[in-house]
Amino acid sequence: MNLPREIRYRAYSDWTKDEMDKIKDNVKRSPWRASYHIEPKTGLLNDPNGFSFFNGKYTLFYQNWPFGAAHGLKEWVHTESDDLVHFHVTGAELLPDTKRDSHGAYSGSAYEIEGNLFLLYTGNVRNENWERDTLQIGAWMDKDYNITKGENVLIHPPADVTDHFRDPQMFNYEGQLYAIVGAQNLEKSGFIKLYKATDNNVETWEEVGNLDFGGTGSEYMIECPNLVFVDKKPVLIYCPQGLDKSELNYGNIYPNTFKICQSLDIEKVKLVGTSEIQNLDYGFEAYATQGFNTPDGRALIVSWIGLPDIDYPTDKYDYQGAMSLVKELSIKDGKLYQYPVEAITSLRASSEQFTAKAETNNTYELELTFPPNQKSELLLFSDSKGNGLSLIVDTKEGKIILDRSKAGIQYATDFGTIRECSIDTKETIANIFVDNSIIEIFINKGEKVFTSRVFPEKHQNGIQLKSGEPTGKYFELKY
Protein backbone atom coordinates (compact mmCIF):
# COMPACT_ATOMS: atom_id res chain seq x y z
CA MET A 1 0.00 0.00 0.00
CA ASN A 2 1.43 3.35 -1.04
CA LEU A 3 0.79 5.89 1.71
CA PRO A 4 2.37 9.35 2.07
CA ARG A 5 5.49 9.58 4.24
CA GLU A 6 3.80 11.92 6.70
CA ILE A 7 1.26 9.19 7.46
CA ARG A 8 3.74 6.32 7.60
CA TYR A 9 6.03 8.19 9.99
CA ARG A 10 3.38 9.90 12.07
CA ALA A 11 4.05 9.60 15.80
CA TYR A 12 2.17 6.79 17.55
CA SER A 13 0.78 9.28 20.07
CA ASP A 14 -0.87 11.29 17.28
CA TRP A 15 -3.19 8.44 16.29
CA THR A 16 -6.58 8.82 17.95
CA LYS A 17 -8.73 6.10 19.47
CA ASP A 18 -11.37 6.67 16.80
CA GLU A 19 -8.79 6.17 14.06
CA MET A 20 -7.56 2.95 15.64
CA ASP A 21 -11.10 1.68 16.15
CA LYS A 22 -11.81 2.19 12.44
CA ILE A 23 -8.66 0.26 11.53
CA LYS A 24 -9.62 -2.59 13.89
CA ASP A 25 -13.14 -2.73 12.46
CA ASN A 26 -11.75 -2.85 8.93
CA VAL A 27 -9.42 -5.74 9.81
CA LYS A 28 -12.42 -7.67 11.16
CA ARG A 29 -14.09 -7.44 7.74
CA SER A 30 -11.39 -9.52 6.09
CA PRO A 31 -12.51 -12.97 4.85
CA TRP A 32 -8.93 -14.24 4.96
CA ARG A 33 -7.81 -14.07 8.58
CA ALA A 34 -5.64 -17.04 9.55
CA SER A 35 -6.50 -19.45 12.34
CA TYR A 36 -3.23 -21.01 13.54
CA HIS A 37 -0.64 -18.64 12.06
CA ILE A 38 0.46 -15.40 13.69
CA GLU A 39 -0.96 -12.33 11.98
CA PRO A 40 -0.86 -8.70 13.14
CA LYS A 41 -3.81 -7.42 15.12
CA THR A 42 -3.67 -4.43 12.78
CA GLY A 43 -1.33 -3.06 10.16
CA LEU A 44 1.70 -4.61 8.54
CA LEU A 45 3.64 -7.53 9.96
CA ASN A 46 7.03 -8.25 8.45
CA ASP A 47 10.29 -9.66 9.85
CA PRO A 48 10.39 -12.13 12.74
CA ASN A 49 12.63 -10.66 15.42
CA GLY A 50 14.21 -11.74 18.69
CA PHE A 51 13.39 -15.44 18.25
CA SER A 52 14.79 -16.99 21.42
CA PHE A 53 14.22 -18.98 24.61
CA PHE A 54 13.61 -16.86 27.68
CA ASN A 55 12.23 -17.47 31.16
CA GLY A 56 11.30 -21.05 30.30
CA LYS A 57 9.30 -20.10 27.20
CA TYR A 58 9.87 -19.35 23.54
CA THR A 59 9.89 -15.68 22.59
CA LEU A 60 9.08 -14.36 19.14
CA PHE A 61 8.67 -10.71 18.28
CA TYR A 62 7.29 -9.54 14.98
CA GLN A 63 7.97 -6.22 13.31
CA ASN A 64 4.83 -4.16 12.93
CA TRP A 65 3.47 -0.86 11.69
CA PRO A 66 0.04 -0.97 13.33
CA PHE A 67 -1.77 1.73 11.35
CA GLY A 68 -2.13 0.17 7.91
CA ALA A 69 -0.70 -2.22 5.34
CA ALA A 70 2.44 -0.20 4.63
CA HIS A 71 6.04 -0.01 5.77
CA GLY A 72 6.12 2.85 8.24
CA LEU A 73 7.39 3.64 11.71
CA LYS A 74 8.12 0.10 12.92
CA GLU A 75 7.81 -1.40 16.39
CA TRP A 76 8.37 -4.93 17.72
CA VAL A 77 5.39 -6.84 19.15
CA HIS A 78 6.20 -9.57 21.68
CA THR A 79 4.64 -13.03 21.65
CA GLU A 80 5.52 -16.12 23.62
CA SER A 81 4.77 -19.83 23.53
CA ASP A 82 5.16 -23.02 25.52
CA ASP A 83 5.04 -25.32 22.50
CA LEU A 84 6.09 -23.23 19.43
CA VAL A 85 2.58 -23.63 18.01
CA HIS A 86 0.30 -21.61 20.30
CA PHE A 87 1.66 -18.06 20.59
CA HIS A 88 0.02 -15.22 22.47
CA VAL A 89 0.70 -11.50 22.53
CA THR A 90 1.97 -10.39 25.94
CA GLY A 91 1.54 -6.65 25.53
CA ALA A 92 5.27 -5.93 25.57
CA GLU A 93 6.43 -3.72 22.71
CA LEU A 94 9.76 -2.34 21.57
CA LEU A 95 8.71 1.12 20.42
CA PRO A 96 10.54 3.62 18.18
CA ASP A 97 10.69 6.20 20.93
CA THR A 98 14.30 7.41 21.30
CA LYS A 99 16.66 9.48 19.17
CA ARG A 100 18.51 6.24 18.33
CA ASP A 101 15.46 4.56 16.73
CA SER A 102 13.36 7.61 15.90
CA HIS A 103 12.37 6.30 12.46
CA GLY A 104 11.86 2.66 13.31
CA ALA A 105 12.89 -0.26 15.49
CA TYR A 106 14.26 -2.41 12.69
CA SER A 107 15.19 -6.08 12.78
CA GLY A 108 17.41 -7.80 15.29
CA SER A 109 17.80 -10.74 17.63
CA ALA A 110 17.64 -11.66 21.30
CA TYR A 111 19.64 -13.69 23.81
CA GLU A 112 18.97 -14.54 27.45
CA ILE A 113 21.66 -13.29 29.82
CA GLU A 114 21.48 -13.78 33.57
CA GLY A 115 17.70 -13.89 33.76
CA ASN A 116 16.99 -11.03 31.37
CA LEU A 117 16.52 -10.96 27.61
CA PHE A 118 18.97 -8.79 25.69
CA LEU A 119 17.72 -7.35 22.39
CA LEU A 120 20.22 -6.22 19.75
CA TYR A 121 18.53 -4.40 16.88
CA THR A 122 18.87 -1.74 14.22
CA GLY A 123 17.72 1.75 15.09
CA ASN A 124 16.64 3.57 11.94
CA VAL A 125 17.29 7.32 12.10
CA ARG A 126 16.56 10.00 9.49
CA ASN A 127 17.67 13.64 9.43
CA GLU A 128 15.80 16.63 8.02
CA ASN A 129 17.04 15.76 4.52
CA TRP A 130 15.73 12.19 4.94
CA GLU A 131 19.29 10.82 4.98
CA ARG A 132 19.48 7.59 6.93
CA ASP A 133 21.73 6.44 9.75
CA THR A 134 21.55 2.81 10.85
CA LEU A 135 22.63 2.20 14.43
CA GLN A 136 22.94 -1.17 16.15
CA ILE A 137 21.52 -0.59 19.61
CA GLY A 138 20.38 -2.61 22.60
CA ALA A 139 17.55 -3.07 25.08
CA TRP A 140 16.72 -5.38 27.96
CA MET A 141 13.45 -7.13 28.79
CA ASP A 142 12.87 -8.54 32.26
CA LYS A 143 10.61 -11.41 33.30
CA ASP A 144 7.72 -9.00 33.83
CA TYR A 145 8.00 -7.86 30.19
CA ASN A 146 9.40 -4.45 31.08
CA ILE A 147 11.72 -3.18 28.33
CA THR A 148 14.56 -0.79 29.11
CA LYS A 149 16.70 0.64 26.34
CA GLY A 150 20.43 1.26 26.57
CA GLU A 151 21.80 4.77 26.25
CA ASN A 152 24.64 4.03 23.84
CA VAL A 153 25.04 3.02 20.23
CA LEU A 154 26.66 -0.42 20.40
CA ILE A 155 27.81 -0.73 16.78
CA HIS A 156 28.20 2.35 14.61
CA PRO A 157 28.17 1.93 10.82
CA PRO A 158 31.79 1.28 9.78
CA ALA A 159 33.48 3.31 7.07
CA ASP A 160 33.10 0.61 4.40
CA VAL A 161 29.28 0.42 4.36
CA THR A 162 26.47 2.53 2.94
CA ASP A 163 23.32 3.31 4.93
CA HIS A 164 22.26 -0.30 4.27
CA PHE A 165 23.64 -1.85 7.46
CA ARG A 166 21.14 -3.76 9.57
CA ASP A 167 19.60 -6.92 11.05
CA PRO A 168 22.13 -8.05 13.70
CA GLN A 169 21.85 -11.70 14.72
CA MET A 170 23.57 -12.95 17.86
CA PHE A 171 24.82 -16.49 18.28
CA ASN A 172 26.99 -18.36 20.76
CA TYR A 173 30.00 -20.17 19.35
CA GLU A 174 32.27 -22.09 21.71
CA GLY A 175 31.24 -19.95 24.66
CA GLN A 176 31.75 -16.61 22.92
CA LEU A 177 28.88 -14.40 21.83
CA TYR A 178 29.07 -13.10 18.24
CA ALA A 179 26.81 -11.14 15.94
CA ILE A 180 26.55 -10.93 12.17
CA VAL A 181 25.12 -7.86 10.45
CA GLY A 182 23.83 -7.54 6.88
CA ALA A 183 25.51 -4.83 4.84
CA GLN A 184 26.13 -3.13 1.51
CA ASN A 185 29.65 -1.98 0.66
CA LEU A 186 30.60 1.28 -1.07
CA GLU A 187 30.60 -0.50 -4.44
CA LYS A 188 26.93 -1.41 -3.81
CA SER A 189 27.53 -5.13 -3.26
CA GLY A 190 26.15 -7.15 -0.38
CA PHE A 191 28.31 -8.65 2.36
CA ILE A 192 28.21 -9.65 6.05
CA LYS A 193 30.08 -8.16 9.00
CA LEU A 194 31.09 -10.31 11.98
CA TYR A 195 31.36 -8.82 15.49
CA LYS A 196 32.03 -10.23 18.94
CA ALA A 197 30.97 -9.12 22.39
CA THR A 198 34.13 -8.02 24.18
CA ASP A 199 34.63 -10.35 27.16
CA ASN A 200 31.06 -11.48 26.43
CA ASN A 201 29.77 -8.09 27.53
CA VAL A 202 26.86 -7.34 25.21
CA GLU A 203 27.20 -3.62 25.89
CA THR A 204 30.56 -3.60 24.07
CA TRP A 205 31.12 -5.01 20.58
CA GLU A 206 34.19 -5.12 18.38
CA GLU A 207 34.52 -5.92 14.71
CA VAL A 208 36.09 -9.25 13.80
CA GLY A 209 35.96 -8.73 10.03
CA ASN A 210 34.00 -9.36 6.86
CA LEU A 211 32.64 -12.90 6.88
CA ASP A 212 33.90 -15.02 3.99
CA PHE A 213 31.01 -17.33 3.06
CA GLY A 214 31.91 -17.98 -0.55
CA GLY A 215 29.64 -15.29 -1.95
CA THR A 216 30.31 -13.50 -5.23
CA GLY A 217 28.87 -10.11 -4.30
CA SER A 218 26.41 -10.13 -7.19
CA GLU A 219 23.66 -9.11 -4.76
CA TYR A 220 23.38 -5.41 -3.88
CA MET A 221 22.40 -6.06 -0.24
CA ILE A 222 22.31 -8.96 2.20
CA GLU A 223 19.38 -8.79 4.58
CA CYS A 224 18.60 -10.88 7.65
CA PRO A 225 21.77 -13.03 7.87
CA ASN A 226 21.44 -15.85 10.40
CA LEU A 227 23.92 -18.47 11.49
CA VAL A 228 22.58 -21.59 13.21
CA PHE A 229 24.29 -24.89 13.97
CA VAL A 230 22.79 -28.21 12.91
CA ASP A 231 24.73 -31.24 14.14
CA LYS A 232 27.55 -28.77 14.81
CA LYS A 233 27.60 -27.69 11.16
CA PRO A 234 27.03 -23.97 10.54
CA VAL A 235 24.06 -23.18 8.31
CA LEU A 236 23.99 -19.65 6.92
CA ILE A 237 20.50 -18.38 6.11
CA TYR A 238 20.25 -15.02 4.36
CA CYS A 239 18.35 -12.85 1.88
CA PRO A 240 20.62 -11.65 -0.97
CA GLN A 241 18.67 -8.85 -2.63
CA GLY A 242 19.37 -8.53 -6.34
CA LEU A 243 21.28 -11.82 -6.54
CA ASP A 244 22.23 -12.60 -10.14
CA LYS A 245 19.91 -15.34 -11.40
CA SER A 246 22.85 -17.08 -13.05
CA GLU A 247 23.87 -18.03 -9.49
CA LEU A 248 20.43 -19.24 -8.41
CA ASN A 249 17.11 -19.70 -10.15
CA TYR A 250 14.44 -17.91 -8.12
CA GLY A 251 11.09 -16.40 -9.02
CA ASN A 252 10.26 -14.05 -6.14
CA ILE A 253 11.23 -10.39 -6.09
CA TYR A 254 13.94 -11.30 -3.53
CA PRO A 255 15.17 -14.79 -2.59
CA ASN A 256 15.59 -16.39 0.82
CA THR A 257 18.60 -18.71 0.66
CA PHE A 258 20.99 -20.89 2.62
CA LYS A 259 24.39 -22.56 2.56
CA ILE A 260 25.42 -25.61 4.58
CA CYS A 261 28.98 -25.25 5.85
CA GLN A 262 31.43 -27.65 7.46
CA SER A 263 32.90 -25.34 10.09
CA LEU A 264 33.43 -21.77 11.23
CA ASP A 265 37.02 -20.47 11.35
CA ILE A 266 36.95 -17.38 13.55
CA GLU A 267 40.64 -16.61 13.01
CA LYS A 268 40.15 -16.44 9.25
CA VAL A 269 36.62 -14.98 9.57
CA LYS A 270 35.50 -17.72 7.22
CA LEU A 271 32.80 -20.32 6.82
CA VAL A 272 34.69 -23.39 5.64
CA GLY A 273 33.39 -25.93 3.13
CA THR A 274 30.31 -24.02 2.04
CA SER A 275 27.73 -25.66 -0.21
CA GLU A 276 26.27 -24.02 -3.27
CA ILE A 277 23.69 -21.34 -2.56
CA GLN A 278 20.21 -22.89 -2.42
CA ASN A 279 16.62 -21.71 -2.10
CA LEU A 280 15.33 -22.11 1.43
CA ASP A 281 11.76 -22.08 0.16
CA TYR A 282 10.32 -22.68 -3.31
CA GLY A 283 6.96 -21.01 -2.75
CA PHE A 284 5.67 -17.54 -3.54
CA GLU A 285 6.14 -16.05 -0.06
CA ALA A 286 8.93 -16.69 2.43
CA TYR A 287 11.40 -14.04 3.52
CA ALA A 288 13.49 -12.67 6.38
CA THR A 289 13.81 -16.10 8.00
CA GLN A 290 15.20 -15.98 11.53
CA GLY A 291 16.65 -18.91 13.44
CA PHE A 292 18.35 -19.73 16.71
CA ASN A 293 19.72 -22.68 18.63
CA THR A 294 17.68 -23.69 21.65
CA PRO A 295 19.37 -24.47 24.99
CA ASP A 296 19.12 -28.18 24.11
CA GLY A 297 20.83 -27.59 20.75
CA ARG A 298 17.94 -27.77 18.28
CA ALA A 299 17.94 -25.31 15.39
CA LEU A 300 14.57 -23.59 14.88
CA ILE A 301 13.52 -21.15 12.18
CA VAL A 302 10.49 -19.02 11.35
CA SER A 303 9.81 -16.87 8.28
CA TRP A 304 7.77 -13.87 7.28
CA ILE A 305 5.05 -15.07 4.90
CA GLY A 306 5.31 -12.01 2.71
CA LEU A 307 7.78 -10.04 0.65
CA PRO A 308 8.99 -6.43 0.52
CA ASP A 309 7.64 -4.13 -2.18
CA ILE A 310 4.55 -6.26 -2.91
CA ASP A 311 0.89 -5.23 -2.54
CA TYR A 312 -1.48 -7.87 -1.13
CA PRO A 313 -5.26 -8.30 -1.31
CA THR A 314 -5.52 -7.79 2.47
CA ASP A 315 -4.15 -4.26 2.13
CA LYS A 316 -7.67 -2.86 1.71
CA TYR A 317 -8.47 -4.31 5.14
CA ASP A 318 -5.55 -2.43 6.75
CA TYR A 319 -3.32 -5.42 7.45
CA GLN A 320 -0.70 -7.54 5.73
CA GLY A 321 1.70 -10.37 6.50
CA ALA A 322 1.91 -13.51 8.64
CA MET A 323 4.44 -15.75 10.35
CA SER A 324 5.18 -19.24 9.08
CA LEU A 325 4.94 -22.31 11.23
CA VAL A 326 8.03 -22.83 13.37
CA LYS A 327 10.28 -25.42 11.75
CA GLU A 328 13.11 -27.55 13.13
CA LEU A 329 16.19 -28.03 10.96
CA SER A 330 18.07 -31.26 10.34
CA ILE A 331 20.67 -32.43 7.84
CA LYS A 332 20.29 -35.81 6.13
CA ASP A 333 22.59 -37.06 3.38
CA GLY A 334 23.96 -33.57 2.98
CA LYS A 335 20.50 -32.01 2.51
CA LEU A 336 18.85 -29.45 4.76
CA TYR A 337 15.41 -30.49 6.00
CA GLN A 338 12.93 -28.17 7.66
CA TYR A 339 9.71 -29.46 9.19
CA PRO A 340 7.14 -28.12 11.67
CA VAL A 341 7.80 -28.86 15.32
CA GLU A 342 6.19 -31.99 16.72
CA ALA A 343 3.54 -30.04 18.65
CA ILE A 344 1.85 -29.09 15.37
CA THR A 345 0.04 -32.45 15.58
CA SER A 346 -1.85 -31.10 18.62
CA LEU A 347 -3.98 -29.08 16.17
CA ARG A 348 -5.43 -32.24 14.62
CA ALA A 349 -9.06 -32.21 15.76
CA SER A 350 -10.28 -35.05 13.55
CA SER A 351 -8.89 -37.51 11.03
CA GLU A 352 -10.28 -39.32 7.99
CA GLN A 353 -9.05 -41.01 4.85
CA PHE A 354 -8.19 -38.61 2.06
CA THR A 355 -10.82 -38.10 -0.63
CA ALA A 356 -11.83 -35.19 -2.80
CA LYS A 357 -14.09 -32.71 -1.02
CA ALA A 358 -16.54 -30.23 -2.50
CA GLU A 359 -16.29 -28.15 0.67
CA THR A 360 -13.84 -27.73 3.54
CA ASN A 361 -13.27 -25.05 6.15
CA ASN A 362 -9.92 -24.20 4.50
CA THR A 363 -8.22 -25.00 7.81
CA TYR A 364 -6.74 -28.47 7.48
CA GLU A 365 -3.69 -30.66 6.93
CA LEU A 366 -3.23 -33.30 4.26
CA GLU A 367 -0.64 -36.04 4.70
CA LEU A 368 -0.42 -37.76 1.33
CA THR A 369 1.76 -40.41 -0.26
CA PHE A 370 2.26 -40.16 -4.02
CA PRO A 371 3.27 -43.45 -5.69
CA PRO A 372 6.33 -43.65 -7.95
CA ASN A 373 6.16 -43.31 -11.73
CA GLN A 374 2.97 -41.26 -11.63
CA LYS A 375 1.87 -37.67 -12.26
CA SER A 376 -0.73 -36.47 -9.76
CA GLU A 377 -2.55 -33.15 -9.63
CA LEU A 378 -4.47 -31.72 -6.71
CA LEU A 379 -6.65 -28.61 -6.89
CA LEU A 380 -6.81 -26.84 -3.53
CA PHE A 381 -9.03 -23.83 -2.73
CA SER A 382 -11.14 -25.20 -5.59
CA ASP A 383 -14.63 -24.30 -6.76
CA SER A 384 -17.21 -25.90 -9.03
CA LYS A 385 -15.84 -24.02 -12.05
CA GLY A 386 -12.42 -25.67 -11.91
CA ASN A 387 -10.58 -22.76 -10.33
CA GLY A 388 -8.06 -23.39 -7.59
CA LEU A 389 -4.44 -23.79 -6.60
CA SER A 390 -2.85 -26.52 -8.73
CA LEU A 391 -0.29 -28.76 -7.04
CA ILE A 392 1.38 -31.27 -9.35
CA VAL A 393 3.51 -34.02 -7.80
CA ASP A 394 5.25 -35.77 -10.69
CA THR A 395 7.22 -38.76 -9.48
CA LYS A 396 7.81 -39.86 -13.08
CA GLU A 397 9.64 -36.72 -14.24
CA GLY A 398 10.78 -35.69 -10.74
CA LYS A 399 9.00 -32.36 -10.31
CA ILE A 400 6.78 -30.42 -7.94
CA ILE A 401 4.80 -27.63 -9.63
CA LEU A 402 2.64 -25.09 -7.80
CA ASP A 403 0.41 -22.92 -10.03
CA ARG A 404 -1.79 -20.20 -8.55
CA SER A 405 -2.90 -18.60 -11.84
CA LYS A 406 -6.48 -19.70 -11.13
CA ALA A 407 -6.37 -19.47 -7.36
CA GLY A 408 -8.35 -16.65 -5.80
CA ILE A 409 -7.51 -12.97 -6.09
CA GLN A 410 -4.52 -12.49 -8.40
CA TYR A 411 -1.60 -10.27 -7.33
CA ALA A 412 2.17 -9.93 -7.86
CA THR A 413 1.74 -11.53 -11.28
CA ASP A 414 4.78 -9.65 -12.59
CA PHE A 415 6.79 -12.34 -10.80
CA GLY A 416 4.95 -15.24 -12.39
CA THR A 417 2.24 -17.60 -11.21
CA ILE A 418 4.20 -20.87 -11.13
CA ARG A 419 6.85 -22.13 -8.74
CA GLU A 420 8.55 -25.51 -9.05
CA CYS A 421 11.44 -27.65 -7.88
CA SER A 422 12.95 -31.01 -8.71
CA ILE A 423 12.53 -34.16 -6.61
CA ASP A 424 13.77 -37.73 -6.84
CA THR A 425 11.70 -40.07 -8.98
CA LYS A 426 10.38 -42.22 -6.17
CA GLU A 427 7.47 -42.43 -3.76
CA THR A 428 6.92 -38.95 -2.34
CA ILE A 429 5.23 -37.75 0.83
CA ALA A 430 3.60 -34.32 1.10
CA ASN A 431 2.31 -32.64 4.25
CA ILE A 432 0.10 -29.73 3.24
CA PHE A 433 -1.03 -27.17 5.82
CA VAL A 434 -3.89 -24.89 4.75
CA ASP A 435 -4.97 -21.93 6.89
CA ASN A 436 -7.64 -19.85 5.12
CA SER A 437 -5.22 -17.79 3.02
CA ILE A 438 -1.92 -19.54 3.79
CA ILE A 439 -0.50 -22.79 2.48
CA GLU A 440 2.70 -24.49 3.60
CA ILE A 441 3.78 -27.63 1.75
CA PHE A 442 6.50 -29.94 3.03
CA ILE A 443 7.83 -32.53 0.60
CA ASN A 444 9.36 -35.69 2.10
CA LYS A 445 9.15 -34.27 5.62
CA GLY A 446 10.92 -31.04 4.75
CA GLU A 447 13.36 -31.85 1.98
CA LYS A 448 11.64 -29.17 -0.12
CA VAL A 449 9.24 -26.50 1.13
CA PHE A 450 6.67 -24.26 -0.57
CA THR A 451 5.21 -21.37 1.48
CA SER A 452 2.57 -19.22 -0.18
CA ARG A 453 -0.46 -16.99 0.18
CA VAL A 454 -3.72 -17.67 -1.62
CA PHE A 455 -6.72 -15.35 -1.23
CA PRO A 456 -9.74 -17.44 -2.24
CA GLU A 457 -12.99 -16.03 -3.52
CA LYS A 458 -16.23 -17.05 -1.85
CA HIS A 459 -16.96 -20.79 -2.25
CA GLN A 460 -13.35 -21.58 -3.20
CA ASN A 461 -12.89 -24.09 -0.41
CA GLY A 462 -12.83 -27.51 -2.03
CA ILE A 463 -10.22 -30.18 -2.77
CA GLN A 464 -10.24 -31.83 -6.18
CA LEU A 465 -8.11 -34.72 -7.39
CA LYS A 466 -7.48 -34.08 -11.08
CA SER A 467 -5.19 -37.04 -11.71
CA GLY A 468 -3.13 -39.69 -9.95
CA GLU A 469 -3.81 -41.92 -6.97
CA PRO A 470 -2.34 -40.41 -3.81
CA THR A 471 -3.39 -41.94 -0.51
CA GLY A 472 -3.31 -40.60 3.01
CA LYS A 473 -5.15 -38.61 5.64
CA TYR A 474 -7.21 -35.45 5.94
CA PHE A 475 -6.95 -33.70 9.32
CA GLU A 476 -9.25 -30.88 10.36
CA LEU A 477 -7.14 -28.42 12.34
CA LYS A 478 -8.34 -26.34 15.29
CA TYR A 479 -6.20 -23.80 17.14
Side-chain angles (χ1 to χ4, degrees), residues 131-385:
E131 296 167 328
R132 179 167 57 187
D133 203 1
T134 48
L135 311 173
Q136 313 313 312
I137 55 180
W140 294 88
M141 186 172 78
D142 66 22
K143 294 179 180 179
D144 295 319
Y145 311 114
N146 300 303
I147 294 177
T148 305
K149 293 185 179 180
E151 295 293 327
N152 300 318
V153 175
L154 302 181
I155 303 174
H156 285 275
D160 58 346
V161 305
T162 68
D163 62 351
H164 292 285
F165 179 63
R166 55 182 177 269
D167 311 337
Q169 185 246 350
M170 293 179 286
F171 63 94
N172 185 309
Y173 181 64
E174 296 183 343
Q176 170 66 50
L177 201 58
Y178 294 92
I180 50 177
V181 185
Q184 180 188 72
N185 66 25
L186 302 181
E187 287 73 42
K188 305 296 177 67
S189 290
F191 72 116
I192 298 171
K193 285 277 189 186
L194 177 66
Y195 292 84
K196 73 174 182 179
T198 306
D199 299 324
N200 273 334
N201 176 7
V202 293
E203 303 283 359
T204 308
W205 294 83
E206 59 186 87
E207 182 177 338
V208 179
N210 297 342
L211 182 65
D212 180 356
F213 60 95
T216 66
S218 75
E219 61 278 299
Y220 61 77
M221 172 62 188
I222 288 179
E223 289 196 310
C224 306
N226 278 251
L227 199 59
V228 294
F229 295 85
V230 183
D231 298 332
K232 297 185 178 179
K233 290 184 177 180
V235 176
L236 179 68
I237 299 171
Y238 61 110
C239 298
Q241 292 188 321
L243 182 75
D244 194 308
K245 291 192 177 182
S246 66
E247 288 193 57
L248 181 70
N249 182 26
Y250 62 94
N252 295 340
I253 183 172
Y254 305 122
N256 204 162
T257 65
F258 74 93
K259 288 187 173 187
I260 299 175
C261 314
Q262 297 306 307
S263 62
L264 171 61
D265 188 329
I266 292 294
E267 294 298 319
K268 294 181 178 179
V269 200
K270 179 182 176 68
L271 286 166
V272 178
T274 59
S275 70
E276 294 295 313
I277 187 172
Q278 300 174 65
N279 283 303
L280 185 68
D281 194 291
Y282 289 87
F284 293 92
E285 271 96 10
Y287 196 72
T289 299
Q290 185 165 95
F292 82 104
N293 284 102
T294 63
D296 61 5
R298 291 175 299 150
L300 303 175
I301 63 170
V302 64
S303 304
W304 168 27
I305 306 180
L307 285 165
D309 306 325
I310 298 291
D311 293 329
Y312 285 86
T314 57
D315 290 3
K316 67 179 181 181
Y317 296 107
D318 286 322
Y319 79 101
Q320 184 190 121
M323 287 288 128
S324 75
L325 300 176
V326 175
K327 294 156 282 191
E328 184 172 351
L329 299 181
S330 59
I331 296 174
K332 301 173 189 174
D333 299 323
K335 296 178 181 178
L336 184 70
Y337 284 71
Q338 43 183 321
Y339 194 74
V341 295
E342 178 63 29
I344 195 66
T345 59
S346 69
L347 300 184
R348 293 174 174 175
S350 63
S351 170
E352 59 186 83
Q353 291 299 120
F354 167 73
T355 60
K357 286 180 172 289
E359 248 182 71
T360 73
N361 60 6
N362 275 347
T363 310
Y364 60 85
E365 176 193 356
L366 299 177
E367 186 170 65
L368 303 179
T369 299
F370 295 83
N373 202 36
Q374 188 177 101
K375 181 178 180 179
S376 303
E377 182 179 6
L378 286 175
L379 208 58
L380 309 169
F381 301 100
S382 66
D383 61 21
S384 59
K385 298 177 182 178

